[in-house]
Amino acid sequence: MNSQTGTSRRPGFYNLNLAERQHQLAPGDLLSLEEFAALTGEGLTVEQADHMIENVVGTHALPLGIALNFVVNEREVLVPMAVEEPSVVAGASFMAKLARAGGGFHASADPPEMIGQMQLLELDDLDAARQALDEAKARLLAEAAEVDPVLKKLGGGPRDLEIRVFEETPIGPFLALHLIYDVRDAMGANAVNTACERLASLVEEITGGRVHLRILSNLADRRLTRASCTIPLSELAFGDFEAEQVRDGIIEAWAFAAADPYRAATHNKGVMNGVDAVVIATGNDWRAIEAGAHAYAARQGRYTSLSTWRSDENGDLVGELEMPMAVGIVGGATKVHPTARAALKLMGVSTARQLAEIIVSVGLAQNLAALRALATEGIQRGHMTLHAHQVAIAAGASGEQVSRLAEQLVREKTVRVDRAEQILAEWNNE
Ligand code: NAD
């Protein structure tokens, strides 16, 4: 079976060895030889990296895993995740399996409208400046439409202008002019920044003020993406835990995050475990996504959960996640980084909107993985086996010693480097 066989359901994938797992992605109709190579270890070269940032001396790799079982808007999708933390890929895959039993994830994204900000200072009369900008709106939008002929041809470009007033600030009153700009399949920061810089002199001419900052806002709240899933009650029971107990425990855990910023920060971090891993795998800007997510989580003046969990009329568990998702499939590193290109190909996405819908679905799955563990056996149990592997390697184990040592650490319930070193020393003296 290889990547063009369609299903994201791959029973036993976890138990295959590395070569067997790679074989399932073997080059064919979906992945070319180069794309396969980029996903399986031959990613970004130092020469390519040298064209991306300054002072390059090398590259920095992360583990790349494939999350299984995802069905997003009725489409099977294999999801590449770049992440160093154990349990993330397994957690997403397992929860996607539960969601699959309820029809998978349903997701939708707003039009790709980003916000560019211009800070307008040194105005004698704020109201007059505001009125002048209102009257010149059509002219300003027409000017902005000419900035990017590619976006214009693709049906993107400026959509609107909004004026915001800041009366009491440490530097006195000023205006902020928002340019709403449709960036199509790009993340859009460069496109928006360029448009704002281009408009600045016209805005100064119209208002008599000085345009200071001209920059994108990462609070991309006009570009929200939402995903939902229904987990049939029967899928929630496991071990000694009854289905209702698991469902209600998850809802109680969510309510804690909804009420308390201390809990919400960790709750949302769990969402971002899934989100960031796909954002990074596809070469997108994860700082932009992080900034947008947390600013959006605090939009009502108090930081809260990005997701909601409830029980529906059948007693099934329903989860929803809504957050800004400014990701692209063109621009930035998405086209330059060979692994990012291959990751997009593997997912079969052809628009930024589709990518956003998958990412938010993964965020919701990851959130559920954490809540389910926390509400039942605690987070450490599932985490410990993989964590023990890292501890074993850190203590100096290699080859078959790694799994053996990890198993012993878990058995002893002492997953610490000092104990791992002690055991290794004992083995080496045997
Ligand atoms: P970009 O400028 O590299 O690419 C976007 C351009 O690609 C468009 O302007 C358009 O001309 C062209 N294009 C071709 N086909 C397109 C299509 N189908 N849809 C849309 N555009 C198409 O990239 P960008 O997305 O404007 O900017 C992203 C980069 O900006 C990221 O690397 C990010 O890290 C960086 N950045 C971020 C911030 C921030 O988040 N605050 C600030 C500055 C820069």
Side-chain angles (χ1 to χ4, degrees), residues 148-151 154 181-194 215-218 283-285 287-289 328-333 335:
D148 194 324
V150 179
L151 271 177
L154 293 168
Y181 201 78
D182 184 317
V183 298
R184 302 280 90 191
D185 289 314
M187 179 266 182
N190 285 324
V192 168
N193 293 344
T194 308
I215 180 77
L216 172 94
S217 168
N218 286 113
N284 274 287
D285 183 339
R287 288 87 54 208
I289 298 299
I329 58 165
V330 298
K335 278 266 171 11

PDB file of all heavy atoms in Angstrom, residues 148-151 154 181-194 215-218 283-285 287-289 328-333 335, ligand 1:
ATOM      1  N   ASP A 148      -0.285  44.704  -6.437  1.00  0.00           N
ATOM      2  CA  ASP A 148       0.129  43.319  -6.696  1.00  0.00           C
ATOM      3  C   ASP A 148      -0.678  42.758  -7.869  1.00  0.00           C
ATOM      4  O   ASP A 148      -1.784  42.253  -7.690  1.00  0.00           O
ATOM      5  CB  ASP A 148      -0.112  42.480  -5.425  1.00  0.00           C
ATOM      6  CG  ASP A 148       0.578  41.125  -5.465  1.00  0.00           C
ATOM      7  OD1 ASP A 148       0.639  40.522  -6.553  1.00  0.00           O
ATOM      8  OD2 ASP A 148       1.048  40.674  -4.408  1.00  0.00           O
ATOM      9  N   PRO A 149      -0.115  42.850  -9.074  1.00  0.00           N
ATOM     10  CA  PRO A 149      -0.872  42.413 -10.257  1.00  0.00           C
ATOM     11  C   PRO A 149      -1.225  40.924 -10.217  1.00  0.00           C
ATOM     12  O   PRO A 149      -2.261  40.515 -10.741  1.00  0.00           O
ATOM     13  CB  PRO A 149       0.068  42.709 -11.422  1.00  0.00           C
ATOM     14  CG  PRO A 149       1.322  43.253 -10.864  1.00  0.00           C
ATOM     15  CD  PRO A 149       1.202  43.399  -9.392  1.00  0.00           C
ATOM     16  N   VAL A 150      -0.383  40.123  -9.538  1.00  0.00           N
ATOM     17  CA  VAL A 150      -0.662  38.680  -9.462  1.00  0.00           C
ATOM     18  C   VAL A 150      -1.922  38.451  -8.626  1.00  0.00           C
ATOM     19  O   VAL A 150      -2.841  37.738  -9.027  1.00  0.00           O
ATOM     20  CB  VAL A 150       0.535  37.910  -8.859  1.00  0.00           C
ATOM     21  CG1 VAL A 150       0.233  36.427  -8.764  1.00  0.00           C
ATOM     22  CG2 VAL A 150       1.785  38.156  -9.675  1.00  0.00           C
ATOM     23  N   LEU A 151      -1.950  39.086  -7.466  1.00  0.00           N
ATOM     24  CA  LEU A 151      -3.128  38.945  -6.597  1.00  0.00           C
ATOM     25  C   LEU A 151      -4.381  39.481  -7.292  1.00  0.00           C
ATOM     26  O   LEU A 151      -5.459  38.905  -7.185  1.00  0.00           O
ATOM     27  CB  LEU A 151      -2.913  39.702  -5.281  1.00  0.00           C
ATOM     28  CG  LEU A 151      -2.248  38.913  -4.165  1.00  0.00           C
ATOM     29  CD1 LEU A 151      -2.017  39.800  -2.946  1.00  0.00           C
ATOM     30  CD2 LEU A 151      -3.105  37.705  -3.766  1.00  0.00           C
ATOM     31  N   LEU A 154      -5.720  37.065  -9.655  1.00  0.00           N
ATOM     32  CA  LEU A 154      -6.303  35.894  -8.975  1.00  0.00           C
ATOM     33  C   LEU A 154      -7.606  36.231  -8.234  1.00  0.00           C
ATOM     34  O   LEU A 154      -8.185  35.370  -7.572  1.00  0.00           O
ATOM     35  CB  LEU A 154      -5.294  35.312  -7.982  1.00  0.00           C
ATOM     36  CG  LEU A 154      -4.046  34.675  -8.608  1.00  0.00           C
ATOM     37  CD1 LEU A 154      -2.992  34.392  -7.534  1.00  0.00           C
ATOM     38  CD2 LEU A 154      -4.419  33.380  -9.324  1.00  0.00           C
ATOM     39  N   TYR A 181      -7.328  43.150   3.197  1.00  0.00           N
ATOM     40  CA  TYR A 181      -6.690  42.762   1.935  1.00  0.00           C
ATOM     41  C   TYR A 181      -6.812  41.253   1.740  1.00  0.00           C
ATOM     42  O   TYR A 181      -6.390  40.472   2.604  1.00  0.00           O
ATOM     43  CB  TYR A 181      -5.214  43.170   2.055  1.00  0.00           C
ATOM     44  CG  TYR A 181      -4.463  43.341   0.782  1.00  0.00           C
ATOM     45  CD1 TYR A 181      -4.597  44.489   0.004  1.00  0.00           C
ATOM     46  CD2 TYR A 181      -3.563  42.368   0.359  1.00  0.00           C
ATOM     47  CE1 TYR A 181      -3.860  44.659  -1.162  1.00  0.00           C
ATOM     48  CE2 TYR A 181      -2.818  42.535  -0.794  1.00  0.00           C
ATOM     49  CZ  TYR A 181      -2.978  43.683  -1.553  1.00  0.00           C
ATOM     50  OH  TYR A 181      -2.254  43.853  -2.695  1.00  0.00           O
ATOM     51  N   ASP A 182      -7.405  40.853   0.650  1.00  0.00           N
ATOM     52  CA  ASP A 182      -7.596  39.421   0.357  1.00  0.00           C
ATOM     53  C   ASP A 182      -6.311  38.891  -0.291  1.00  0.00           C
ATOM     54  O   ASP A 182      -5.919  39.353  -1.361  1.00  0.00           O
ATOM     55  CB  ASP A 182      -8.790  39.247  -0.583  1.00  0.00           C
ATOM     56  CG  ASP A 182      -9.113  37.790  -0.855  1.00  0.00           C
ATOM     57  OD1 ASP A 182      -8.168  36.998  -1.082  1.00  0.00           O
ATOM     58  OD2 ASP A 182     -10.303  37.430  -0.872  1.00  0.00           O
ATOM     59  N   VAL A 183      -5.684  37.942   0.390  1.00  0.00           N
ATOM     60  CA  VAL A 183      -4.357  37.466  -0.070  1.00  0.00           C
ATOM     61  C   VAL A 183      -4.436  36.087  -0.728  1.00  0.00           C
ATOM     62  O   VAL A 183      -3.417  35.424  -0.919  1.00  0.00           O
ATOM     63  CB  VAL A 183      -3.335  37.453   1.097  1.00  0.00           C
ATOM     64  CG1 VAL A 183      -3.126  38.849   1.625  1.00  0.00           C
ATOM     65  CG2 VAL A 183      -3.789  36.507   2.220  1.00  0.00           C
ATOM     66  N   ARG A 184      -5.658  35.651  -1.043  1.00  0.00           N
ATOM     67  CA  ARG A 184      -5.845  34.372  -1.749  1.00  0.00           C
ATOM     68  C   ARG A 184      -5.117  33.211  -1.059  1.00  0.00           C
ATOM     69  O   ARG A 184      -5.340  32.936   0.065  1.00  0.00           O
ATOM     70  CB  ARG A 184      -5.409  34.505  -3.214  1.00  0.00           C
ATOM     71  CG  ARG A 184      -6.127  35.576  -4.006  1.00  0.00           C
ATOM     72  CD  ARG A 184      -7.483  35.140  -4.492  1.00  0.00           C
ATOM     73  NE  ARG A 184      -8.539  35.440  -3.539  1.00  0.00           N
ATOM     74  CZ  ARG A 184      -9.785  34.972  -3.639  1.00  0.00           C
ATOM     75  NH1 ARG A 184     -10.107  34.180  -4.624  1.00  0.00           N
ATOM     76  NH2 ARG A 184     -10.696  35.294  -2.762  1.00  0.00           N
ATOM     77  N   ASP A 185      -4.159  32.587  -1.739  1.00  0.00           N
ATOM     78  CA  ASP A 185      -3.525  31.389  -1.163  1.00  0.00           C
ATOM     79  C   ASP A 185      -2.202  31.672  -0.475  1.00  0.00           C
ATOM     80  O   ASP A 185      -1.422  30.752  -0.221  1.00  0.00           O
ATOM     81  CB  ASP A 185      -3.322  30.336  -2.260  1.00  0.00           C
ATOM     82  CG  ASP A 185      -4.649  29.737  -2.682  1.00  0.00           C
ATOM     83  OD1 ASP A 185      -5.446  29.394  -1.786  1.00  0.00           O
ATOM     84  OD2 ASP A 185      -4.908  29.641  -3.886  1.00  0.00           O
ATOM     85  N   ALA A 186      -1.945  32.951  -0.163  1.00  0.00           N
ATOM     86  CA  ALA A 186      -0.706  33.304   0.550  1.00  0.00           C
ATOM     87  C   ALA A 186      -1.010  33.503   2.032  1.00  0.00           C
ATOM     88  O   ALA A 186      -2.162  33.721   2.417  1.00  0.00           O
ATOM     89  CB  ALA A 186      -0.119  34.585  -0.030  1.00  0.00           C
ATOM     90  N   MET A 187       0.045  33.422   2.867  1.00  0.00           N
ATOM     91  CA  MET A 187      -0.112  33.845   4.263  1.00  0.00           C
ATOM     92  C   MET A 187      -0.367  35.353   4.268  1.00  0.00           C
ATOM     93  O   MET A 187      -1.186  35.845   5.025  1.00  0.00           O
ATOM     94  CB  MET A 187       1.171  33.497   5.042  1.00  0.00           C
ATOM     95  CG  MET A 187       1.155  33.905   6.497  1.00  0.00           C
ATOM     96  SD  MET A 187       1.907  35.536   6.695  1.00  0.00           S
ATOM     97  CE  MET A 187       1.818  35.757   8.435  1.00  0.00           C
ATOM     98  N   GLY A 188       0.379  36.062   3.429  1.00  0.00           N
ATOM     99  CA  GLY A 188       0.011  37.429   3.109  1.00  0.00           C
ATOM    100  C   GLY A 188       0.774  38.553   3.764  1.00  0.00           C
ATOM    101  O   GLY A 188       0.526  39.713   3.445  1.00  0.00           O
ATOM    102  N   ALA A 189       1.706  38.247   4.660  1.00  0.00           N
ATOM    103  CA  ALA A 189       2.392  39.335   5.374  1.00  0.00           C
ATOM    104  C   ALA A 189       3.140  40.259   4.406  1.00  0.00           C
ATOM    105  O   ALA A 189       3.004  41.488   4.485  1.00  0.00           O
ATOM    106  CB  ALA A 189       3.354  38.770   6.414  1.00  0.00           C
ATOM    107  N   ASN A 190       3.895  39.686   3.507  1.00  0.00           N
ATOM    108  CA  ASN A 190       4.642  40.533   2.569  1.00  0.00           C
ATOM    109  C   ASN A 190       3.702  41.317   1.678  1.00  0.00           C
ATOM    110  O   ASN A 190       3.912  42.511   1.420  1.00  0.00           O
ATOM    111  CB  ASN A 190       5.569  39.675   1.689  1.00  0.00           C
ATOM    112  CG  ASN A 190       6.777  39.196   2.468  1.00  0.00           C
ATOM    113  OD1 ASN A 190       7.297  39.914   3.310  1.00  0.00           O
ATOM    114  ND2 ASN A 190       7.202  37.969   2.204  1.00  0.00           N
ATOM    115  N   ALA A 191       2.677  40.640   1.204  1.00  0.00           N
ATOM    116  CA  ALA A 191       1.723  41.281   0.298  1.00  0.00           C
ATOM    117  C   ALA A 191       1.055  42.477   1.001  1.00  0.00           C
ATOM    118  O   ALA A 191       0.964  43.569   0.435  1.00  0.00           O
ATOM    119  CB  ALA A 191       0.683  40.258  -0.146  1.00  0.00           C
ATOM    120  N   VAL A 192       0.635  42.270   2.242  1.00  0.00           N
ATOM    121  CA  VAL A 192      -0.060  43.323   2.982  1.00  0.00           C
ATOM    122  C   VAL A 192       0.906  44.459   3.345  1.00  0.00           C
ATOM    123  O   VAL A 192       0.583  45.644   3.203  1.00  0.00           O
ATOM    124  CB  VAL A 192      -0.713  42.740   4.262  1.00  0.00           C
ATOM    125  CG1 VAL A 192      -1.185  43.832   5.198  1.00  0.00           C
ATOM    126  CG2 VAL A 192      -1.868  41.824   3.884  1.00  0.00           C
ATOM    127  N   ASN A 193       2.098  44.086   3.807  1.00  0.00           N
ATOM    128  CA  ASN A 193       3.072  45.122   4.174  1.00  0.00           C
ATOM    129  C   ASN A 193       3.409  46.002   2.967  1.00  0.00           C
ATOM    130  O   ASN A 193       3.525  47.220   3.082  1.00  0.00           O
ATOM    131  CB  ASN A 193       4.357  44.480   4.723  1.00  0.00           C
ATOM    132  CG  ASN A 193       4.109  43.773   6.055  1.00  0.00           C
ATOM    133  OD1 ASN A 193       3.085  44.012   6.695  1.00  0.00           O
ATOM    134  ND2 ASN A 193       5.029  42.919   6.463  1.00  0.00           N
ATOM    135  N   THR A 194       3.565  45.373   1.814  1.00  0.00           N
ATOM    136  CA  THR A 194       3.883  46.125   0.598  1.00  0.00           C
ATOM    137  C   THR A 194       2.740  47.091   0.273  1.00  0.00           C
ATOM    138  O   THR A 194       2.973  48.266  -0.045  1.00  0.00           O
ATOM    139  CB  THR A 194       4.090  45.150  -0.591  1.00  0.00           C
ATOM    140  OG1 THR A 194       5.031  44.171  -0.198  1.00  0.00           O
ATOM    141  CG2 THR A 194       4.592  45.870  -1.829  1.00  0.00           C
ATOM    142  N   ILE A 215       2.241  47.951   8.802  1.00  0.00           N
ATOM    143  CA  ILE A 215       2.559  46.542   9.045  1.00  0.00           C
ATOM    144  C   ILE A 215       1.295  45.705   9.262  1.00  0.00           C
ATOM    145  O   ILE A 215       0.324  46.193   9.822  1.00  0.00           O
ATOM    146  CB  ILE A 215       3.524  46.410  10.274  1.00  0.00           C
ATOM    147  CG1 ILE A 215       3.903  44.965  10.611  1.00  0.00           C
ATOM    148  CG2 ILE A 215       2.944  47.077  11.508  1.00  0.00           C
ATOM    149  CD1 ILE A 215       4.936  44.367   9.713  1.00  0.00           C
ATOM    150  N   LEU A 216       1.391  44.470   8.848  1.00  0.00           N
ATOM    151  CA  LEU A 216       0.330  43.484   9.060  1.00  0.00           C
ATOM    152  C   LEU A 216      -0.028  43.335  10.542  1.00  0.00           C
ATOM    153  O   LEU A 216       0.841  43.443  11.404  1.00  0.00           O
ATOM    154  CB  LEU A 216       0.878  42.134   8.563  1.00  0.00           C
ATOM    155  CG  LEU A 216       0.049  40.897   8.830  1.00  0.00           C
ATOM    156  CD1 LEU A 216      -0.823  40.616   7.617  1.00  0.00           C
ATOM    157  CD2 LEU A 216       0.936  39.697   9.103  1.00  0.00           C
ATOM    158  N   SER A 217      -1.305  43.030  10.820  1.00  0.00           N
ATOM    159  CA  SER A 217      -1.674  42.592  12.175  1.00  0.00           C
ATOM    160  C   SER A 217      -1.761  41.077  12.178  1.00  0.00           C
ATOM    161  O   SER A 217      -2.394  40.481  11.299  1.00  0.00           O
ATOM    162  CB  SER A 217      -3.038  43.163  12.582  1.00  0.00           C
ATOM    163  OG  SER A 217      -3.463  42.503  13.765  1.00  0.00           O
ATOM    164  N   ASN A 218      -1.153  40.477  13.195  1.00  0.00           N
ATOM    165  CA  ASN A 218      -1.252  39.017  13.313  1.00  0.00           C
ATOM    166  C   ASN A 218      -2.562  38.572  13.974  1.00  0.00           C
ATOM    167  O   ASN A 218      -2.847  37.377  14.031  1.00  0.00           O
ATOM    168  CB  ASN A 218      -0.051  38.443  14.069  1.00  0.00           C
ATOM    169  CG  ASN A 218       1.190  38.444  13.211  1.00  0.00           C
ATOM    170  OD1 ASN A 218       2.140  39.169  13.484  1.00  0.00           O
ATOM    171  ND2 ASN A 218       1.179  37.670  12.149  1.00  0.00           N
ATOM    172  N   GLY A 283       5.963  24.593   6.195  1.00  0.00           N
ATOM    173  CA  GLY A 283       6.813  25.762   5.938  1.00  0.00           C
ATOM    174  C   GLY A 283       6.132  27.073   6.262  1.00  0.00           C
ATOM    175  O   GLY A 283       6.561  28.131   5.795  1.00  0.00           O
ATOM    176  N   ASN A 284       5.079  27.023   7.069  1.00  0.00           N
ATOM    177  CA  ASN A 284       4.381  28.264   7.403  1.00  0.00           C
ATOM    178  C   ASN A 284       4.950  28.915   8.659  1.00  0.00           C
ATOM    179  O   ASN A 284       5.772  28.333   9.365  1.00  0.00           O
ATOM    180  CB  ASN A 284       2.884  27.986   7.532  1.00  0.00           C
ATOM    181  CG  ASN A 284       2.187  28.069   6.187  1.00  0.00           C
ATOM    182  OD1 ASN A 284       2.004  29.173   5.645  1.00  0.00           O
ATOM    183  ND2 ASN A 284       1.826  26.929   5.629  1.00  0.00           N
ATOM    184  N   ASP A 285       4.491  30.151   8.924  1.00  0.00           N
ATOM    185  CA  ASP A 285       5.063  30.974   9.994  1.00  0.00           C
ATOM    186  C   ASP A 285       4.320  30.680  11.301  1.00  0.00           C
ATOM    187  O   ASP A 285       3.223  31.181  11.531  1.00  0.00           O
ATOM    188  CB  ASP A 285       4.911  32.442   9.585  1.00  0.00           C
ATOM    189  CG  ASP A 285       5.527  33.412  10.574  1.00  0.00           C
ATOM    190  OD1 ASP A 285       5.721  33.027  11.751  1.00  0.00           O
ATOM    191  OD2 ASP A 285       5.803  34.554  10.184  1.00  0.00           O
ATOM    192  N   ARG A 287       5.101  31.488  14.362  1.00  0.00           N
ATOM    193  CA  ARG A 287       5.003  32.601  15.319  1.00  0.00           C
ATOM    194  C   ARG A 287       3.758  33.433  15.005  1.00  0.00           C
ATOM    195  O   ARG A 287       3.072  33.913  15.911  1.00  0.00           O
ATOM    196  CB  ARG A 287       6.247  33.514  15.256  1.00  0.00           C
ATOM    197  CG  ARG A 287       7.515  32.919  15.837  1.00  0.00           C
ATOM    198  CD  ARG A 287       8.257  32.108  14.825  1.00  0.00           C
ATOM    199  NE  ARG A 287       8.546  32.826  13.603  1.00  0.00           N
ATOM    200  CZ  ARG A 287       8.698  32.248  12.407  1.00  0.00           C
ATOM    201  NH1 ARG A 287       8.596  30.942  12.285  1.00  0.00           N
ATOM    202  NH2 ARG A 287       8.948  32.954  11.321  1.00  0.00           N
ATOM    203  N   ALA A 288       3.493  33.593  13.718  1.00  0.00           N
ATOM    204  CA  ALA A 288       2.304  34.355  13.316  1.00  0.00           C
ATOM    205  C   ALA A 288       1.039  33.641  13.787  1.00  0.00           C
ATOM    206  O   ALA A 288       0.102  34.275  14.291  1.00  0.00           O
ATOM    207  CB  ALA A 288       2.279  34.512  11.794  1.00  0.00           C
ATOM    208  N   ILE A 289       1.023  32.332  13.663  1.00  0.00           N
ATOM    209  CA  ILE A 289      -0.151  31.549  14.065  1.00  0.00           C
ATOM    210  C   ILE A 289      -0.307  31.587  15.585  1.00  0.00           C
ATOM    211  O   ILE A 289      -1.418  31.738  16.110  1.00  0.00           O
ATOM    212  CB  ILE A 289      -0.018  30.095  13.559  1.00  0.00           C
ATOM    213  CG1 ILE A 289       0.051  30.073  12.026  1.00  0.00           C
ATOM    214  CG2 ILE A 289      -1.162  29.221  14.076  1.00  0.00           C
ATOM    215  CD1 ILE A 289      -1.169  30.649  11.341  1.00  0.00           C
ATOM    216  N   GLY A 328      -0.392  29.822   4.228  1.00  0.00           N
ATOM    217  CA  GLY A 328      -0.374  29.882   2.770  1.00  0.00           C
ATOM    218  C   GLY A 328       0.147  28.603   2.155  1.00  0.00           C
ATOM    219  O   GLY A 328       0.741  27.755   2.837  1.00  0.00           O
ATOM    220  N   ILE A 329      -0.119  28.477   0.870  1.00  0.00           N
ATOM    221  CA  ILE A 329       0.506  27.377   0.115  1.00  0.00           C
ATOM    222  C   ILE A 329       1.417  27.949  -0.971  1.00  0.00           C
ATOM    223  O   ILE A 329       2.010  27.214  -1.746  1.00  0.00           O
ATOM    224  CB  ILE A 329      -0.543  26.421  -0.514  1.00  0.00           C
ATOM    225  CG1 ILE A 329      -1.485  27.188  -1.448  1.00  0.00           C
ATOM    226  CG2 ILE A 329      -1.351  25.727   0.568  1.00  0.00           C
ATOM    227  CD1 ILE A 329      -2.295  26.262  -2.359  1.00  0.00           C
ATOM    228  N   VAL A 330       1.480  29.286  -1.044  1.00  0.00           N
ATOM    229  CA  VAL A 330       2.474  29.965  -1.880  1.00  0.00           C
ATOM    230  C   VAL A 330       3.166  30.978  -0.974  1.00  0.00           C
ATOM    231  O   VAL A 330       2.649  31.326   0.075  1.00  0.00           O
ATOM    232  CB  VAL A 330       1.829  30.720  -3.074  1.00  0.00           C
ATOM    233  CG1 VAL A 330       1.113  29.779  -4.008  1.00  0.00           C
ATOM    234  CG2 VAL A 330       0.869  31.789  -2.555  1.00  0.00           C
ATOM    235  N   GLY A 331       4.336  31.425  -1.403  1.00  0.00           N
ATOM    236  CA  GLY A 331       5.019  32.471  -0.643  1.00  0.00           C
ATOM    237  C   GLY A 331       5.747  31.952   0.576  1.00  0.00           C
ATOM    238  O   GLY A 331       5.614  30.774   0.940  1.00  0.00           O
ATOM    239  N   GLY A 332       6.517  32.834   1.190  1.00  0.00           N
ATOM    240  CA  GLY A 332       7.308  32.456   2.363  1.00  0.00           C
ATOM    241  C   GLY A 332       8.162  31.239   2.040  1.00  0.00           C
ATOM    242  O   GLY A 332       8.717  31.114   0.943  1.00  0.00           O
ATOM    243  N   ALA A 333       8.253  30.320   3.014  1.00  0.00           N
ATOM    244  CA  ALA A 333       9.087  29.126   2.821  1.00  0.00           C
ATOM    245  C   ALA A 333       8.304  27.982   2.183  1.00  0.00           C
ATOM    246  O   ALA A 333       8.874  26.944   1.859  1.00  0.00           O
ATOM    247  CB  ALA A 333       9.641  28.671   4.170  1.00  0.00           C
ATOM    248  N   LYS A 335       7.137  27.317  -0.660  1.00  0.00           N
ATOM    249  CA  LYS A 335       7.551  26.826  -1.975  1.00  0.00           C
ATOM    250  C   LYS A 335       9.052  26.540  -2.029  1.00  0.00           C
ATOM    251  O   LYS A 335       9.540  25.847  -2.911  1.00  0.00           O
ATOM    252  CB  LYS A 335       7.181  27.863  -3.058  1.00  0.00           C
ATOM    253  CG  LYS A 335       5.721  27.788  -3.509  1.00  0.00           C
ATOM    254  CD  LYS A 335       5.626  26.905  -4.734  1.00  0.00           C
ATOM    255  CE  LYS A 335       4.311  26.494  -5.273  1.00  0.00           C
ATOM    256  NZ  LYS A 335       3.066  26.953  -4.946  1.00  0.00           N
TER     257      LYS A 335
HETATM  258  P1  NAD B   1       5.192  36.175  -0.469  1.00  0.00           P
HETATM  259  O1  NAD B   1       5.283  37.652  -0.635  1.00  0.00           O
HETATM  260  O2  NAD B   1       6.438  35.383  -0.584  1.00  0.00           O
HETATM  261  O3  NAD B   1       4.141  35.583  -1.510  1.00  0.00           O
HETATM  262  C1  NAD B   1       2.887  36.172  -1.758  1.00  0.00           C
HETATM  263  C2  NAD B   1       2.841  36.629  -3.183  1.00  0.00           C
HETATM  264  O4  NAD B   1       2.796  35.496  -4.048  1.00  0.00           O
HETATM  265  C3  NAD B   1       1.588  37.430  -3.509  1.00  0.00           C
HETATM  266  O5  NAD B   1       1.781  38.780  -3.178  1.00  0.00           O
HETATM  267  C4  NAD B   1       1.403  37.183  -4.987  1.00  0.00           C
HETATM  268  O6  NAD B   1       2.078  38.163  -5.741  1.00  0.00           O
HETATM  269  C5  NAD B   1       2.099  35.841  -5.244  1.00  0.00           C
HETATM  270  N1  NAD B   1       1.159  34.743  -5.555  1.00  0.00           N
HETATM  271  C6  NAD B   1       1.321  33.804  -6.531  1.00  0.00           C
HETATM  272  N2  NAD B   1       0.304  32.931  -6.540  1.00  0.00           N
HETATM  273  C7  NAD B   1      -0.518  33.284  -5.526  1.00  0.00           C
HETATM  274  C8  NAD B   1      -1.751  32.759  -5.018  1.00  0.00           C
HETATM  275  N3  NAD B   1      -2.353  31.677  -5.553  1.00  0.00           N
HETATM  276  N4  NAD B   1      -2.295  33.353  -3.953  1.00  0.00           N
HETATM  277  C9  NAD B   1      -1.724  34.433  -3.385  1.00  0.00           C
HETATM  278  N5  NAD B   1      -0.585  34.997  -3.832  1.00  0.00           N
HETATM  279  C10 NAD B   1       0.018  34.428  -4.907  1.00  0.00           C
HETATM  280  O7  NAD B   1       4.540  35.732   0.899  1.00  0.00           O
HETATM  281  P2  NAD B   1       3.424  36.350   1.845  1.00  0.00           P
HETATM  282  O8  NAD B   1       2.448  35.243   2.057  1.00  0.00           O
HETATM  283  O9  NAD B   1       2.910  37.672   1.407  1.00  0.00           O
HETATM  284  O10 NAD B   1       4.269  36.561   3.188  1.00  0.00           O
HETATM  285  C11 NAD B   1       4.603  35.466   4.013  1.00  0.00           C
HETATM  286  C12 NAD B   1       5.947  35.662   4.649  1.00  0.00           C
HETATM  287  O11 NAD B   1       6.014  36.890   5.339  1.00  0.00           O
HETATM  288  C13 NAD B   1       6.248  34.586   5.646  1.00  0.00           C
HETATM  289  O12 NAD B   1       7.520  34.062   5.378  1.00  0.00           O
HETATM  290  C14 NAD B   1       6.268  35.336   6.984  1.00  0.00           C
HETATM  291  O13 NAD B   1       7.152  34.720   7.879  1.00  0.00           O
HETATM  292  C15 NAD B   1       6.718  36.694   6.573  1.00  0.00           C
HETATM  293  N6  NAD B   1       6.410  37.844   7.439  1.00  0.00           N
HETATM  294  C16 NAD B   1       5.542  37.752   8.507  1.00  0.00           C
HETATM  295  C17 NAD B   1       5.260  38.890   9.262  1.00  0.00           C
HETATM  296  C18 NAD B   1       4.243  38.785  10.376  1.00  0.00           C
HETATM  297  O14 NAD B   1       3.646  37.739  10.560  1.00  0.00           O
HETATM  298  N7  NAD B   1       4.016  39.836  11.165  1.00  0.00           N
HETATM  299  C19 NAD B   1       5.847  40.107   8.945  1.00  0.00           C
HETATM  300  C20 NAD B   1       6.713  40.170   7.860  1.00  0.00           C
HETATM  301  C21 NAD B   1       6.983  39.037   7.102  1.00  0.00           C
END
